[in-house]
């Protein structure tokens, strides 16, 4: 269930409560809408430029600025210039510019700063017009245009300082006095607080982006590991079974006329082996259809070595087993079985010898599996470069073990696998 919750995307399933350790999972990588847009901008800047414009939020901001400035006009009647159509046009322009705040954050920020300075210079009433600058500044900082945002806010503060302490004599409303310096401290504090909040949002957004990237890498890594596991399983099952079927088919064809009873035995072996292979392939494919579901049959282990010996015998290979297998974890037991299975399959396919020896030993908490044949090699790829040997090495490496394969000095071939008896999954 925890893994399913981890995969659940924003907006799916019932909302979760806040946990003592942090926000709920649906908030973990940022607000659902913002996080999705941020991911799109991070993954594909070109698609971000083609993304939908924020119409709804822009309309709400513009309406709030226009309505709020109307109330401010009534509250400051006689103190500031009455709000006329030109003033409303400036308010409208500063709000509409926010429509492009994610596509052109720097241009929008400087445009809103210019519109606000013109609005204040014309003597119109103070009010929520500064909200447009705040939103544009936030978008610029979050988009990574930090220095442009700081420069724009510094320009806004310096422009306001120039308007209310130097140019007020020649600007409307007439007879106005210089603003108190406490007002400038408030404006400066507001600008610094806005930039600080924007920087905090930018840092948090970058953290969410890193977490999203890490989660995507982990998912790809799990998918690759699962793909390799299924490929190894299919290769081991099919290579061994088809090798036996191929040998028995040759025997059946050779004896079809001279010894029909022996040919019948070969065909019976083919039928049984193909049925077994189909069952194992179906089990592997079931894991693809229902990830995480428990297998319907237990995974094979070294306790099934007698079956391997029987199957090898039906393919004309005599196998001698020495030693008793110890108790192993399911993962190590499956890996050991598959390694012996693949090694015997290679003897059937690539060796001229019809005898093989499997030795099972223990040494310092390690399982040592040795599969020997006396050769000579009959295939060009008998030296250990095929997918089978690569799969054996991957299985062993996943458990912290090793597999060595190569020609012996006397001309035979040896596969040596060393696996830890107690793997990390048992601790």
């Amino acid at each position: 269930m925890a893994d399913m919750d981890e995969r659940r995307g924003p907006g799916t399933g019932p909302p979760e409560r806040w946990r003592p350790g942090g926000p709920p999972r649906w908030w973990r990588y940022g607000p659902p809408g913002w996080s999705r847009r941020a991911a799109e901008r991070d993954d594909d800047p070109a698609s971000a430029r083609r993304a939908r414009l924020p119409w709804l939020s822009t309309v709400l901001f513009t309406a709030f600025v226009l309505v709020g400035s109307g109330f401010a006009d009534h509250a400051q009647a006689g103190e500031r210039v009455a709000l006329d159509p030109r003033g409303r046009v400036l308010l409208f322009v500063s709000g509409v510019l926010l429509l492009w705040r994610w596509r052109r954050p720097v241009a929008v920020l400087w445009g809103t700063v210019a519109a606000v300075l013109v609005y204040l210079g014309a003597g119109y009433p103070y009010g929520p017009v500064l909200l447009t600058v705040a939103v544009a500044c936030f978008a610029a900082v979050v988009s990574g245009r930090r220095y442009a945002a700081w420069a724009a806010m510094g320009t806004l503060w310096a422009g306001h300082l120039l308007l209310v302490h130097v140019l007020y004599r020649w600007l409307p409303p007439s007879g106005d006095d210089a603003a108190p310096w406490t007002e400038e401290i408030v404006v400066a504090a507001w600008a610094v607080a806005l930039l600080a909040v924007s920087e905090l949002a930018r840092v948090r957004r970058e953290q969410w982006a890193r977490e999203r990237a890490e989660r995507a890498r982990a998912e790809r890594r799990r998918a690759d590991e699962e793909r390799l596991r299924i490929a190894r399983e299919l290769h081991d099952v099919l290579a061994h079974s088809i090798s036996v079927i191929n040998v028995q088919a040759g025997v059946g064809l050779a004896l079809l006329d001279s010894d029909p009873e022996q040919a019948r035995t070969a065909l019976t072996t083919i039928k049984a082996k193909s049925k077994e292979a189909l069952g194992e392939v179906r089990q592997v494919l079931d894991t693809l259809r229902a990830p995480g579901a428990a297998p319907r049959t237990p995974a094979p282990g070294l306790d099934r070595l007698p079956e391997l010996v029987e199957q090898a015998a039906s393919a004309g290979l005599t196998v001698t087993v020495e030693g008793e297998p110890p108790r192993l974890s399911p993962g190590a037991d499956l890996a050991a079985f598959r390694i012996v299975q693949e090694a015997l399959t290679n003897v059937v396919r690539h060796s001229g010898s019809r005898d093989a020896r499997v030795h099972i030993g223990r040494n310092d908490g390690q399982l040592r599996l040795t599969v020997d044949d006396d050769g000579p090699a009959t295939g060009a790829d008998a030296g250990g470069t095929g997918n089978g040997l690569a799969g054996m090495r991957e299985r062993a490496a996943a458990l912290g073990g090793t597999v060595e394969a190569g020609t012996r000095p006397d001309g035979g071939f040896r596969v040596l696998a060393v696996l830890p008896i107690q793997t990390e999954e048992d601790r």
Side-chain angles (χ1 to χ4, degrees):
M1 289 297 294
D3 186 58
M4 291 176 63
D5 289 341
E6 183 68 26
R7 296 178 184 175
R8 182 177 297 156
T12 60
E16 302 181 43
R17 296 183 179 178
W18 289 85
R19 292 177 173 78
R25 293 182 186 275
W26 59 266
W27 185 273
R28 181 171 298 176
Y29 302 101
W34 185 24
S35 179
R36 183 168 54 253
R37 289 192 299 269
E40 292 172 355
R41 289 193 297 271
D42 293 339
D43 296 339
D44 187 3
S47 67
R49 288 192 293 269
R50 297 190 300 268
R52 294 175 58 186
L53 296 173
W55 286 97
L56 180 58
S57 59
T58 300
V59 169
L60 292 177
F61 285 135
T62 305
F64 179 79
V65 169
L66 289 172
V67 175
S69 297
F71 285 107
D73 183 36
H74 290 291
Q76 301 173 34
E79 300 177 10
R80 303 289 293 176
V81 174
L83 198 58
D84 56 18
R86 284 182 297 181
R88 296 185 186 278
V89 168
L90 288 172
L91 293 174
F92 182 78
V93 169
S94 66
V96 170
L97 283 174
L98 297 179
L99 193 60
W100 294 274
R101 63 184 181 272
W102 295 116
R103 294 188 179 182
R104 298 288 185 268
V106 175
V108 169
L109 176 57
W110 284 102
T112 55
V113 167
V116 168
L117 287 177
V118 172
Y119 175 88
L120 297 178
Y124 294 119
Y126 291 98
V129 64
L130 293 176
L131 175 65
T132 59
V133 177
V135 174
C137 176
F138 181 85
V141 173
V142 169
S143 299
R145 276 67 170 186
R146 304 170 58 199
Y147 298 117
W150 282 86
M153 295 307 292
T155 301
L156 177 66
W157 180 74
H160 182 265
L161 191 69
L162 185 66
L163 290 174
V164 300
H165 288 281
V166 177
L167 302 179
Y168 70 94
R169 301 180 181 87
W170 302 280
L171 295 175
S174 58
D176 197 11
D177 296 328
W181 283 100
T182 54
E183 181 178 316
E184 295 309 314
I185 296 176
V186 171
V187 173
W190 172 82
V192 171
L194 173 61
L195 288 168
V197 171
S198 302
E199 288 286 349
L200 180 62
R202 179 189 62 81
V203 171
R204 186 57 179 150
R205 175 182 175 271
E206 291 177 355
Q207 181 181 352
W208 285 331
R210 288 193 298 270
E211 292 172 354
R212 284 195 306 271
E214 181 59 33
R215 181 177 61 170
R217 284 194 295 269
E219 290 176 352
R220 286 194 296 269
R221 188 164 54 248
R222 285 195 296 268
D224 290 342
E225 291 171 355
E226 183 67 9
R227 178 178 56 80
L228 289 175
R229 184 190 70 81
I230 292 172
R232 285 195 300 266
E233 285 293 313
L234 287 176
H235 175 274
D236 293 346
V237 170
L238 295 178
H240 177 75
S241 301
I242 292 176
S243 294
V244 174
I245 290 171
N246 180 61
V247 171
Q248 291 298 321
V251 171
L253 287 174
L255 300 177
L256 186 61
D257 296 326
S258 60
D259 192 347
E261 191 60 32
Q262 187 66 27
R264 182 185 300 274
T265 302
L267 291 176
T268 303
T269 303
I270 290 173
K271 179 181 179 181
K273 194 60 190 173
S274 61
K275 181 179 180 181
E276 178 187 345
L278 285 173
E280 294 198 36
V281 170
R282 188 177 293 113
Q283 179 179 343
V284 174
L285 295 179
D286 283 343
T287 63
L288 289 177
R289 297 189 181 98
R296 298 180 181 179
T297 58
L302 289 180
D303 57 334
R304 289 179 54 181
L305 268 181
E307 294 182 29
L308 283 182
V309 173
E310 253 180 66
Q311 294 165 4
S314 66
L317 181 67
T318 302
V319 180
T320 304
V321 179
E322 302 172 354
E324 291 293 328
R327 287 179 59 90
L328 298 171
S329 67
D333 208 16
L334 173 62
F337 176 83
R338 293 300 189 199
I339 288 172
V340 174
Q341 183 185 51
E342 177 62 25
L344 294 179
T345 300
N346 286 341
V347 175
V348 172
R349 296 174 60 190
H350 305 304
S351 175
S353 173
R354 295 297 89 190
D355 294 293
R357 295 175 299 281
V358 178
H359 179 76
I360 304 173
R362 297 181 59 174
N363 185 16
D364 297 331
Q366 293 179 323
L367 172 69
R368 295 177 64 88
L369 291 172
T370 306
V371 181
D372 284 291
D373 71 90
D374 296 328
T378 59
D381 57 346
T385 60
N387 292 329
L389 290 179
M392 284 193 284
R393 293 187 178 102
E394 289 171 358
R395 286 184 184 276
L399 298 170
T402 59
V403 169
E404 299 176 3
T407 306
R408 301 198 314 262
D410 59 0
F413 196 82
R414 168 171 292 176
V415 174
L416 171 62
V418 180
L419 302 175
I421 292 179
Q422 183 180 17
T423 61
E424 292 183 359
E425 63 190 56
D426 302 318
R427 295 176 186 154

